Amino acid sequence: MPSSNFATGSKNNVGTSAAAIGTASEVAKKGIQIVSDPNNTVVVYIGDDTVTAGSSAPSTDGYPLQAGDTVVIPVFHPSEVYAVTASSTATIHFMLI
């Protein structure tokens, strides 16, 4: 039986409180690709559990994703990756690779 080389998921309602994009039971083999939904009207910031929406301090400001932007990060556990917005809500999609 072939094993899957990737898995996909999404996180709806990313809001003004940082939240993990996945669970501890999910594990990537090489990293995680994250895409900001093309219909988002706000910037999504990606980082660790201290991520902020680009307005606090350089050490906690997240990596900004505009609608449709993509980033690949070399992290194996999506539970260690957090997303937040400055206002409103947004959706992100991810692929564990």
Side-chain angles (χ1 to χ4, degrees):
M1 178 179 261
S3 64
S4 175
N5 290 324
F6 67 93
T8 60
S10 63
K11 175 86 174 160
N12 298 317
N13 298 318
V14 173
T16 57
S17 295
I21 69 166
T23 66
S25 64
E26 298 168 310
V27 179
K29 294 178 182 177
K30 297 180 180 178
I32 304 168
Q33 179 176 11
I34 302 168
V35 178
S36 179
D37 191 273
N39 296 314
N40 285 343
T41 58
V42 295
V43 176
V44 178
Y45 296 87
I46 303 297
D48 63 14
D49 61 346
T50 64
V51 67
T52 58
S55 61
S56 294
S59 63
T60 59
D61 288 348
Y63 184 85
L65 293 178
Q66 300 279 347
D69 283 354
T70 299
V71 65
V72 177
I73 53 176
V75 173
F76 301 114
H77 301 280
S79 60
E80 297 174 355
V81 180
Y82 285 70
V84 67
T85 65
S87 63
S88 191
T89 58
T91 298
I92 58 168
H93 307 280
F94 61 88
M95 180 183 297
L96 308 180
I97 49 178

